[in-house]
Amino acid sequence: MEGLRIRTVLRETAVGEQVEVSGWARSRRDSKAGLSFIVLNDGSSFDSLQVIAKNDLENYESVVKKIATGASVRVKGVLVESPGKGQRVELHAESVELIGDAPNSYPLQKKRHTLEYLREIAHLRPRTNTIGAAMRVRHHLAMATHDFFRSNDFFYIHTPIITASDTEGAGEMFQVSTLDPKNLPRTDTGEIDWSQDFFGRKTYLTVSGQLNAEILAMALGRVYTFGPTFRAENSNTPRHVAEFWMIEPEVAFLELEGDADLAEAYLKHTLKHTLENCESDLGFFNKRIQPGLIEDLQKVVETPFVRLTYTEALKVLNDSGESFEYSTAWGELLQTEHEKYLTDIVFNAPVIVTDYPADKKAFYMKLNDDGKTVRAMDVLVPRIGEIIGGSEREWRLDVLKERIAAHHLDEADYWWYMDLRKFGSAPHSGFGLGFERLLMYATGIKNIRDAIPFPRTPRNATF
């Protein structure tokens, strides 16, 4: 490949070297001294490269002085030490080529745009500081995820996107069908005949890869899946999108305490990697989006996570004397205000809460001996609350059947899941982490629509 990435030029290339770079003009200004200053960025880093073009260039008047914000440009020249603050080098152009012009109607001019406006032009918003930085951090979090599980002897697996089962039992799923809605086949009783559909039954986009990951864990020991999941919630909150990515490890012969250890180690590893590899991007978020962000992330990396049961957490909340909006009675799930109070006020540290009421949690979570709680856990971090949810899985066949019935699910849909409990069953645990939620925490971004390249929300699938 020809040319150098601007990130490499800024960090590694020596003064005096001849280089070629290509990118998009963030701005151009002309001086009375016959110079043009072009700020060039190619997406490889938050920082841009300043290009100095003199009026003795052959195409100075016809090309250089017509370069507009958003235009794509190729420049060849010599790196010189920069007299300006905040930049090691600048590029003195020997040739400037305008590759793709950008007319005055280019939506991203040199000014601050609202994130709401940028969502309307999702095809261009990655060129902005905020979204460009978010996508680079997203990349490093993904690479750190794979690195963590690889180094801990996990196998990376791929679970189905199309499924016939509802992992959570919530029923808010997108249906997948090839039937003609204008000419649906019917049974003798007038019901839709799903046996004539592509898969011969009702199928959906998956809400989780967990159940399939358990199959692989009971053969390979340690596995994880990292892929898209879908929920058909008609929600327009800053925390919900219809398509998002999930990281879901499953480990055989692991109980809840080990699952909590795994979750804590995972968060520490990924955030440490990001702090070490995204200095400029995090510096921007720390300054412009979330003051104190870097200190907050470092605290998570360096601080042992506090651990307590759901019942103990409620006691802390009820003994605090605080007036909460939502109930803290036993049996009610913790809300974000409770979670943030525990992490930010009481402990000033990440918190892992375990052993939640059984009737508020999914059917697959292992029932405790008290018959009232399950071996579930939520990992809470300062500023946002829950970031990971997990559990020890119910591996006793008789209890699993009771839990399926209690959740009013059809046992026939889970025959293969129950088979795992018939043939060589063993304790096993795992957790799920919404990848966009992790990115929001790592960057301070407040709306999940800005943590994914192309958000899917109610009435929005344009890009």
Side-chain angles (χ1 to χ4, degrees), residues 33-151:
L35 298 175
S36 289
F37 300 86
I38 304 168
V39 177
L40 203 63
N41 190 285
D42 65 356
S44 60
S45 72
F46 181 86
D47 301 306
S48 300
L49 175 65
Q50 178 166 271
V51 175
I52 312 295
K54 295 183 179 180
N55 60 5
D56 58 0
L57 290 175
E58 182 179 352
N59 61 351
Y60 182 78
E61 293 291 337
S62 62
V63 173
V64 174
K65 292 189 69 174
K66 295 183 179 180
I67 291 174
T69 298
S72 60
V73 180
R74 179 179 294 118
V75 181
K76 295 179 182 179
V78 179
L79 276 185
V80 302
E81 187 175 346
S82 176
K85 292 183 179 180
Q87 52 190 17
R88 183 181 69 89
V89 293
E90 60 188 28
L91 180 59
H92 284 201
E94 295 177 344
S95 70
V96 177
E97 178 185 356
L98 176 60
I99 299 172
D101 199 4
N104 292 334
S105 59
Y106 180 60
L108 298 173
Q109 295 301 316
K110 191 182 178 183
K111 63 178 181 179
R112 184 178 296 187
H113 298 285
T114 67
L115 293 173
E116 290 79 9
Y117 168 70
L118 294 179
R119 290 175 208 139
E120 298 174 6
I121 52 169
H123 59 306
L124 296 173
R125 70 174 186 163
R127 301 188 194 182
T128 64
N129 283 335
T130 302
I131 304 303
M135 294 305 103
R136 284 186 293 270
V137 174
R138 186 182 175 104
H139 160 79
H140 281 284
L141 287 171
M143 293 302 101
T145 293
H146 290 300
D147 179 67
F148 173 80
F149 288 115
R150 177 196 55 78
S151 64

Side-chain angles (χ1 to χ4, degrees), residues 1-13 20-24 26 40-50 126-129 131-140 277-282:
M1 293 185 291
E2 294 183 358
L4 292 175
R5 296 281 270 169
I6 286 176
R7 179 179 184 275
T8 302
V9 171
L10 293 174
R11 297 189 178 193
E12 303 173 17
T13 311
E20 176 187 314
V21 295
S22 300
W24 293 271
R26 289 284 179 86
L40 203 63
N41 190 285
D42 65 356
S44 60
S45 72
F46 181 86
D47 301 306
S48 300
L49 175 65
Q50 178 166 271
R127 301 188 194 182
T128 64
N129 283 335
I131 304 303
M135 294 305 103
R136 284 186 293 270
V137 174
R138 186 182 175 104
H139 160 79
H140 281 284
N277 290 275
C278 301
E279 183 178 355
S280 294
D281 293 315
L282 292 183

Side-chain angles (χ1 to χ4, degrees), residues 150-194:
R150 177 196 55 78
S151 64
N152 283 281
D153 202 24
F154 279 71
F155 293 104
Y156 177 36
I157 60 168
H158 304 97
T159 52
I161 290 176
I162 299 174
T163 180
S165 62
D166 179 359
T167 304
E168 301 293 338
E172 296 172 326
M173 303 175 73
F174 289 103
Q175 191 166 341
V176 177
S177 176
T178 59
L179 295 180
D180 181 358
K182 296 180 180 179
N183 187 29
L184 292 171
R186 301 283 178 175
T187 65
D188 293 340
T189 59
E191 301 291 327
I192 297 174
D193 186 0
W194 296 110

